[in-house]
Amino acid sequence: MAESNNQDLVTLTVDGMTTSVPQGTLVIEAARQVGVMIPHFCYHPKLTPDANCRMCLVEIEKLPRLQTSCSTKVAEGMVVKSNVPHVDEARKSVLEFILANHPLDCPVCDQGGRCDLQDFSHQYTPTTSRFTELKRVFPKEYFSPLIETQMNRCVQCMRCVRYCDQVMDVKALAPSGRGTLTEIKHFSAHELDCEFCGGCVQICPVGAITSRLSMYDFRPWMLKRTDTICTYCGDGCHITIQKKQDELIEVNSTQGVGRNNGDLCARGFFGYHASVHPDRIMHPLIKQQDGRFAQATWEEALELVAEKFQGIKTAFGGNAFGGLVTSRCTNEELYLFQKFMRGVLGSNRVDSSARFGHVNGTLPLLSVQGTHRWTATFEDIVDADALLLIGTNITETNPITGLKVKQAVKQGHAILVTMESLLPARGTISNITLLATHHLPVRPDHYHIAIVGLIKSVLDNGLVDPGLETRAPEFFRAIKAAIDSTSWAHIEEVSGVSREVFSQSAHAFSSSTRGMIIVGQGVLRSPRGAEMVTNLLDFLILTGRHGQPGCGLCPLAEENNDQGAIEMGATAEFLPGPIAIGHHDTRQALSKLWEVDLPQEPASSLMEMFRDAQAGQVKAMYIVGENPVESLPQTGKIKEALESLEFLVCQELFLTETAQLADVVLPACSYVEKDGTFTNTEGMVQPVRQAIDPIGESRPDWEIFSALSVVMDQPMEYGEARDIFKEIRSVIPGYGLVGPVATRPTPKVDVVQQYLQEGFAHGLATRYVCTQDQPASDTPFLLASTQSLFHSGKFSTRSKGLLQIQSSGAIMLNPSDAKKLGIASGDSVCVSNAHGAVTTIARVLNRIPPDVACFPEHFDQDIRCLFELHIDKESHVPYSKLTWVRLERVEKGDV
Amino acid sequence: MLAEKYQDHIADLLARYPVKRSALLPLLNLAQKEEGYVSESAMKEIAEILDLTPPQVYETATFYTMFNMNPIGKFHVQICKSLMCGLVGSDPLIQWVQQRLGVGPGQTTSDRLFTLSVVECLGSCGTGPMMQVNDDYYERLSEERVGRIFDELKETGNSSLKSGPFMVPEPISR
């Protein structure tokens, strides 16, 4: 090793073993590296040392007294002794104090068998104690529907409290009282109201905090573990599913593993029961003449589908088919679905739920920088020195990416600029805007003009990358001209943010060396989403951050495999790769591999399919795991379109509104019942593993596609999901190299060059034009359909755990608006506009901005009728997340 | 509501510290002064003022024994039980007071007049046994004197036997 590298290393001896570790390492960690496990309770690598449990005492030569190894940093030449008799004696004494109050209830404790205290007791203590006093007993109190506390067992290490504060930034746990009588509580006797991330359950070294979902149901040694990936958002968290026989017992995650490093959110930790909901479809269903479903065998169902598909193909050609697949499927299934649609049915009408917003991120990335993936990773977020969050309530949509942002700000002291409609008010769940250095409170429909304001600040304050003007004069002049057409007065008036704040934010970002932009649903799922992302890429280029290491624009995927859906070619405009659908060489290669001729017709996306279905051009649709009837507003006339089909096949877990319209319903497996891979939002391909046997007669989606192709006499046969992955690797060379960190693609120089020379001109005439949607005087409130931390789509609403935290929707509004309307939390409110009127419950929240109301999209069954559907001309994304409404209080008697 | 009633005082408290959170104890004191105890609504309000969560305020309030977490009577009787007062007879005195008031430590009489607390050293060791009632010290107590103090407090809300902030101990007579 070179001399210079050695400077940061410190050499020390632990129990006679010499090792070199980086400066600043704690003794306990250095010992771990040479295989010396020092017992501890309060220490945890994620938390700052507290040294309150005194269990990790060691002798360090030349230092007086024993030292706590969790709070002592290594020094050159240090000699640490952990296995000498008097250290053992000291630890025994510490344990004796802890055990003085610990109940002997191991036989009924869920932690029994994996408890640190149990292990150390076996290791250190005699079976008797010198204490004759009574043990402290806390009265049993109800804590929360999902998390249970048994304070008699608490060793007061404060790990839960510190985790809740330092990692989650929620601060919902309070150690009340003092000394032995310290007790972990929420707020007085109130039941816990927090993010329910389960972190306290996971981090408790004893059985003081446990999950109620599996209380008394198991002993740890009965559990069989399966390491897999969570399905509830694009973060792609590692989860370990623990089952007893075929019963799901719990989900946890291990520190140091996965993209989440063991941290989870409520969805990941408590949401696992959705898969085993009793409403799961157990058998294939075929619709009878009377409109009712009858149970069928797989043979009957597949043969019927094959026969109908063949018939329609012969009569109308491949273009009469439309296919829609959910991005919750594995890569293998998405790949096979598009292969089935394009290869077997011969249709280019293929789309996935990535259409609902994620394409707004990937399409601009692809056209500006030639790569559709993040050019940075989660590690880069943590290491960033400036982060710009736009339109993302990241805590609720992508909680674990949110943790990386929190870590960057709290530990790395990164500058955080948030452009978000949420107000920086503290609540029971954390609020990322509270950590912001500069917060730009922008109404959900004003992100576009606020982004223009940001770029204008860069130009007006001379923050442009010095070389850019000579390198790309046309680009610079054109963008400047486009931006100049909007005046500061207009920007300030519409966005409500002052020019000064824009300047400060632009300064903060452009003075960084590692700057990242993270965009969320507020941008991707709003009208002009793709334009806003392109503008933000311009912003990156102007500030000179584009293409720099650790910099980049990162769109957040909502569904676990949105990214995979695009890469597998399960969207209209792409073949696997993603390669543009018209790319000649790729078409040739695929034709050869699949042994078919690829269809020539132009591709059609989700909304075009429905349009053509209503026009009678699409005769049959194959919908896998999607429920467009419910996820799109009634004004989109999706139901009418589907009813006009000759034949509809749905492959589903549940009999959804869409599945009820189907002629054949095929029962599919959920993520816990199948193997495959998911690609997370940062482009990390991770293995999904089967944890339990398929429910009922359900089969993995890929198996159904494969079986159907066999019945249709155009077999796509695979023995297991891995075989499909091999084929994917042959189509996309090097896809999914498995490693601990996602690869960081760099922008393609030629594509960026092309963009700077002429590509930028595409759409330039419109994408900087600021339009303003004025509310009508009778509908003054902007209603936004937003994601909740506790749910993901409609799937999670089948999870009994999550339903205990949030089981219904409520319209959330600002206290000042509520006061004006005379509304209090819990009141009935009538929400109405020209499309209809809906009565729901109000919830007053400080963080909701004035003149805005939010409603969780997971419970929008009734309120959906108020939204209109707009379709993006460029990216064909259907937008239906914003509408204007009026709110009125409803007297109890009127309901 | 504290914020409205003590607007200037709170602004002054906040101005004293570089970090907002440091004003937590002064604000808890203010809340206790206002209602006699630290109420839940006060803790929530303080959390809002200081940009903390209510559990964080609760945590601090419960750590300090001199914050009352429950409503107390008009007179908060705190009798010293530490060693010095113990040597000169605080134990039987506490017993007597319990009988006289008919309540145990931490309890309030049914007429909401007296709350009895048994506390550690109040720093008046030369003049024990002693007690503090609200803001006043009462020293060199005997059953008779305590009886008089309670009667006077009950009748007039004040007692002539209070010794003010402190009393100088007498030299030991040999």
Side-chain angles (χ1 to χ4, degrees), chain A residues 14 21 25 106 309:
Chain A
V14 183
V21 295
T25 307
C106 300
F309 276 0

Side-chain angles (χ1 to χ4, degrees), chain B residues 116-136:
Chain B
L116 176 63
S117 296
V118 177
V119 300
E120 297 297 343
C121 185
L122 291 168
S124 192
C125 307
T127 54
M130 67 80 62
M131 68 178 182
Q132 181 182 348
V133 180
N134 294 351
D135 287 338
D136 299 314

Side-chain angles (χ1 to χ4, degrees), chain B residues 19-69:
Chain B
V19 180
K20 244 181 172 184
R21 187 177 180 168
S22 307
L24 178 51
L25 285 179
L27 283 179
L28 283 169
N29 269 326
L30 182 69
Q32 172 145 316
K33 207 158 207 160
E34 181 68 13
E35 296 180 86
Y37 75 111
V38 182
S39 64
E40 273 186 19
S41 60
M43 285 191 278
K44 278 187 190 160
E45 203 191 335
I46 292 171
E48 203 154 304
I49 295 170
L50 300 180
D51 200 15
L52 299 171
T53 63
Q56 287 178 300
V57 178
Y58 176 69
E59 157 185 355
T60 307
T62 56
F63 181 84
Y64 293 98
T65 53
M66 287 169 81
F67 287 124
N68 306 317
M69 302 308 291

